[in-house]
Amino acid sequence: MTAVTDEGPGRMGGPASHENPDPDGHGRIPGAGRIPGAGRASGAGREWNDGLIARRAATRAADPEPETAPDDDVRPPQVEAYVPSGGPLRPRLDALRELVGLSRARLDGDTLAEAGRVLDEAAARQRLSSRHTVVAIAGATGSGKSTLFNTLAGAQISDTGLRRPTTAAPLACSWTDGAAGLLDRLAIPGRLRRRPQQGGADADEALQGLVLVDLPDHDSAATEHREQVDRVLALVDAVIWVVDPEKYADAALHERYLRPLAGHAEITFVVLNQIDRLPGDAADLVLDDLRRLLDEDGMALGEHGEPGATVMSLSALTGEGVGELREVLGRFVQERTAAARRLSADVDAAAARLRPVYVAEGRPGLGERAREEFADRLADAVGAAAAGQAAEREWRRNAGRACGTPWLRLWRWCESVRRPGGLERPVLPDPPEEQLTARQCVEQAVRAVADEASAGLPGPWAQAVREAAVHGAEGLPEALDALAVRAGTEQAPGGAAVVATGVAGASGVAHSGRVGGKPPRPRWWPAAVLAQVSMTLLQIFGGLWLVGQIVGVLEPGYLTPAMVMLAGVVGGPVVEWSCVAAARGPARRYGQEAERQLREAAAACGRARVLDPVAAELVRYREVRERYAAVTEISTTGR
């Protein structure tokens, strides 16, 4: 009936089996795998038959061979390394591995635990044989899974009976050698490994490479039984769920196993057993209802040639439908794609769990509008507009001083002398409330750009973007203050330097508005100055002429000197007013240029401290999003 042929650590015949002597060296456990009632009764004289091992022992007894003769049936297992099928599994695993690596700095270990487990199990499975397909038979108590296991193996391997639970530990049956590594991975000891009854050549050939595992009841009252079921189901290549007419709609089966494993439909068989108990067309009705429940669970059904779960009905006791299952199972095993399908479905499940932390709503990022608004807020905080206005006023004052009448300038100088504090009044810092307002303006700008950049991002990445913005904003108000102060000492375009009058920096630094250098003079300024000098000379000349006539030094003739003096008196203000009108355009452009430079400098400071770190986080998110897309875009399960 059964035999143990996979040798290795912990197998019978090795050091791990010293407590069960094995005199013939074939790994037989006395009394293991016997058919009830087939053992030798005390004094009955009836020889027991334990399948292949018993026949081999009987053959040796009849025809003894030399002890040195090799035993062809007992040879070291041939372990064949996993051979990739050339499908999309390898690039998907590589993408998942890169995804986990890129995400470790942003996601916690619990979030990435399932993806890491899938990668570890995939690596472990790919190191083992690709010639074998490990299929587990799972079911509830009394569903007849152990009977089906024995029927497929053609031998009484797994114990059956009325006692519940009957199966206490996973039991394996391998049709070919070389599955030792796979069974070690399932932690199935050597004493629970069997070989099937040798049947017809066609049946044995179809199932070459099959490793069938009988699991304990998934609804067993023993907690350790359920834990073993969960552990083995996470490692096998495929699973046959055996249900009976009474428990096929059991919530424990559908909610705990079938619904969560709906993405593994291609490697799932759902078998309705015990149809011999159903009268007439009841079996078809129950089977249709089972398909309906599977459809509600989200499990695709493999009908009309489409990929999905295989659903069929049979009776393991009478053998009805078992041949069809054996045929379908044989084709499934010979395809040798179950392991890759299982790993691909595991990748799908891990990707589905990670979807909330990678898939954003909409198109997150920093648009041009958000960048401009951030620059505008920083410009307001640093006082760029006021600086431009001050520069414009300063340019016009310079034009007035250069082209104005000397008498008006003398009057203005006297007025400035009479003012308290003299020519240069001390610059007082802005009140504390204005300083606070400026700093709040910077903080508001940072919050606004962080909210704009993180809008729609998954929670961890949105938090990372906000932290990058807040961390970069540390010291930004002070940097803007230094920028505003530096702008008062640097030359503006054309050689002039200007600082806003009465403008408070981001942390309350006030600026005097003094001119650090003369603004650039247009080409018409020398002519205007020469004209103003001429008007002044005319006034002086006319006045002296009149004085000379009054005192009698010159001949009387008041009209001409009066006209000359009047021309100078009237011409001076006319020249000044003309220059003021002509200076409006250049002064406005000068102020706009000063505002632009200070605005650009503030924007560059904000970009280096806030926008660039935020953009770096968005780039990191786009990288992991691309890796996630590579994991999910090529799916063999359609998820």
Side-chain angles (χ1 to χ4, degrees), residues 228-273:
Q228 290 188 64
V229 171
D230 295 341
R231 178 184 61 82
V232 175
L233 285 180
L235 302 176
V236 296
D237 301 329
V239 59
I240 300 175
W241 289 100
V242 181
V243 298
D244 61 82
E246 294 180 355
K247 293 185 178 181
Y248 73 93
D250 188 13
L253 171 65
H254 290 270
E255 295 178 2
R256 185 175 181 183
Y257 294 104
L258 295 180
R259 193 168 300 165
L261 296 176
H264 297 67
E266 291 189 24
I267 57 167
T268 301
F269 296 78
V270 182
V271 174
L272 176 62
N273 192 19

Side-chain angles (χ1 to χ4, degrees), residues 383-397:
Q389 295 173 2
E392 180 180 352
R393 289 193 300 269
E394 189 70 19
W395 203 97
R396 294 173 64 178
R397 280 196 297 269

